[in-house]
Amino acid sequence: MNIKILSRSASLYSTNALVQAAVKRKHNVQVIDPLNCDIVIERQKPEIYYKGRKLDHVDAVIPRIGASTTFYGTAVVRQFEMMNVFTTLKSQALIQSRDKLRSLQVLSKAGLGLPKTVFTNYSKNVSEVISHVGGAPLIIKLLEGTQGLGVVLAETKTAAESVLEAFNGLQARVIVQEYIKEARGADIRILVVDGQVVGAMKRQGKEGEFRSNLHRGGTAKMIALNRHEEQAAIMAAKALNMGVAGVDLLQSARGPLILEVNSSPGLEGIENATGNDIAKSIIRYIERSLSHQ
């Protein structure tokens, strides 16, 4: 098969792992920077040019679209869809995944457990917002934040009011979420590929850090999921129509609570923690999907 990986850099761990997995499976693979693609729109003749050369005879694409390139990256994925090319991440799913509020609304409708969340239109009544999530401590997240940036733990009501008033004054869109104390600064990242869990790790924030992101000093270890956690991850990926998804959840007294679902999850941390070849699972997913066409 002829596979294109949409990524800004071939040297990134996840991109390189996918390249190696595809080569081992005897496929032709090329890394394409989506920002260097030209989209040609014509009646019933969609085309993509990369560095002046027309891309044709493409069987599948693997989008690795970063948050900063969502708009144009999504347009490139959509163009491949118009060319009837299989993609491991649909353009609509990519757009939806980057909208934290919309994603939570979809997950809520699907019946999944979530931390209680409040979103307002720069409400001046911040005390009421705080009370809606059960008071402090609470979490405040920028809607556009990624990788733990723009996430604040407000430990007191006074601190929460100050942070909310500051964000409102800057007209920065935020969501307010209840703080799940029993999670103890840890969360679970679950990789779902084609409706199956292919790896799971528990991430623990470093001492004094409530965010568990590995690049912020957190640690990770493999974890065996219970039935409810596995089912929640699979349902979350299905609700957002993602063939490949990184589902982040918290362990709580009332069961697993979904934090967010990532459309371009990093592979390095979870492959190192679990020893599983996640990249190979993604290539196998493409093979199965194309064999049924």
Side-chain angles (χ1 to χ4, degrees), residues 115-118 126-141 151-164 167 174-181 210:
K116 190 168 184 180
T117 303
V118 177
V126 293
S127 293
E128 184 177 2
V129 172
I130 293 168
S131 68
H132 279 318
V133 295
L138 54 80
I139 304 293
I140 301 170
K141 295 181 179 179
V151 181
V152 178
L153 169 62
E155 299 195 33
T156 67
K157 181 180 179 182
T158 300
E161 289 174 344
S162 297
V163 173
L164 283 172
F167 277 135
V174 299
I175 56 176
V176 180
Q177 289 186 325
E178 67 173 312
Y179 177 65
I180 308 301
K181 184 178 180 180
F210 73 96

Side-chain angles (χ1 to χ4, degrees), residues 201-230:
M201 63 178 174
K202 187 169 187 176
R203 304 182 297 190
Q204 180 69 55
K206 66 181 181 180
E207 187 69 27
E209 173 62 73
F210 73 96
R211 292 167 292 189
S212 59
N213 306 73
L214 298 185
H215 68 280
R216 306 195 71 86
T219 58
K221 63 179 181 180
M222 184 171 62
I223 183 173
L225 302 175
N226 64 38
R227 178 173 57 86
H228 300 293
E229 291 161 350
E230 183 171 346

Side-chain angles (χ1 to χ4, degrees), residues 16-256:
N16 183 59
L18 289 164
V19 169
Q20 297 304 317
V23 169
K24 287 179 181 178
R25 304 285 299 174
K26 310 298 184 184
H27 301 301
N28 295 318
V29 60
Q30 181 185 11
V31 178
I32 298 293
D33 184 344
L35 298 190
N36 287 331
C37 290
D38 295 327
I39 296 170
V40 179
I41 301 172
E42 188 179 352
R43 182 179 180 182
Q44 294 185 332
K45 192 183 176 184
E47 295 176 332
I48 294 179
Y49 286 79
Y50 182 66
K51 295 183 177 180
R53 297 185 62 181
K54 181 180 176 182
L55 295 180
D56 51 15
H57 306 297
V58 179
D59 296 304
V61 295
I62 304 174
R64 299 288 308 174
I65 307 297
S68 63
T69 58
T70 298
F71 177 78
Y72 198 78
T74 300
V76 173
V77 175
R78 189 183 304 117
Q79 189 77 349
F80 275 114
E81 290 173 341
M82 292 173 62
M83 294 162 59
N84 296 318
V85 175
F86 175 80
T87 175
T88 58
L89 176 68
K90 297 185 184 300
S91 57
Q92 278 300 111
L94 174 56
I95 292 173
Q96 192 162 251
S97 74
R98 294 289 155 79
D99 186 333
K100 284 189 177 70
L101 178 63
R102 183 178 178 184
S103 295
L104 290 174
Q105 290 172 318
V106 172
L107 295 172
S108 173
K109 185 177 180 181
L112 288 153
L114 304 165
K116 190 168 184 180
T117 303
V118 177
F119 177 70
T120 71
N121 189 39
Y122 309 122
S123 172
K124 288 183 169 54
N125 191 351
V126 293
S127 293
E128 184 177 2
V129 172
I130 293 168
S131 68
H132 279 318
V133 295
L138 54 80
I139 304 293
I140 301 170
K141 295 181 179 179
L142 280 172
L143 279 182
E144 291 81 19
T146 60
Q147 299 182 329
L149 298 174
V151 181
V152 178
L153 169 62
E155 299 195 33
T156 67
K157 181 180 179 182
T158 300
E161 289 174 344
S162 297
V163 173
L164 283 172
E165 288 168 354
F167 277 135
N168 288 345
L170 295 170
Q171 291 200 319
R173 297 285 188 186
V174 299
I175 56 176
V176 180
Q177 289 186 325
E178 67 173 312
Y179 177 65
I180 308 301
K181 184 178 180 180
E182 59 266 32
R184 298 177 182 175
D187 70 8
I188 297 176
R189 162 63 63 88
I190 304 169
L191 257 291
V192 179
V193 177
D194 193 20
Q196 299 292 322
V197 170
V198 296
M201 63 178 174
K202 187 169 187 176
R203 304 182 297 190
Q204 180 69 55
K206 66 181 181 180
E207 187 69 27
E209 173 62 73
F210 73 96
R211 292 167 292 189
S212 59
N213 306 73
L214 298 185
H215 68 280
R216 306 195 71 86
T219 58
K221 63 179 181 180
M222 184 171 62
I223 183 173
L225 302 175
N226 64 38
R227 178 173 57 86
H228 300 293
E229 291 161 350
E230 183 171 346
Q231 184 179 37
I234 293 170
M235 287 178 62
K238 182 178 179 181
L240 294 172
N241 196 27
M242 290 186 190
V244 177
V247 182
D248 295 343
L249 59 79
L250 295 176
Q251 294 175 308
S252 80
R254 60 181 190 267

Side-chain angles (χ1 to χ4, degrees), residues 18 62 88 193 244 267 278-286:
L18 289 164
I62 304 174
T88 58
V193 177
V244 177
L267 304 184
I278 307 296
K280 179 181 177 181
S281 297
I282 295 172
I283 300 302
R284 293 289 304 274
Y285 165 42
I286 293 173

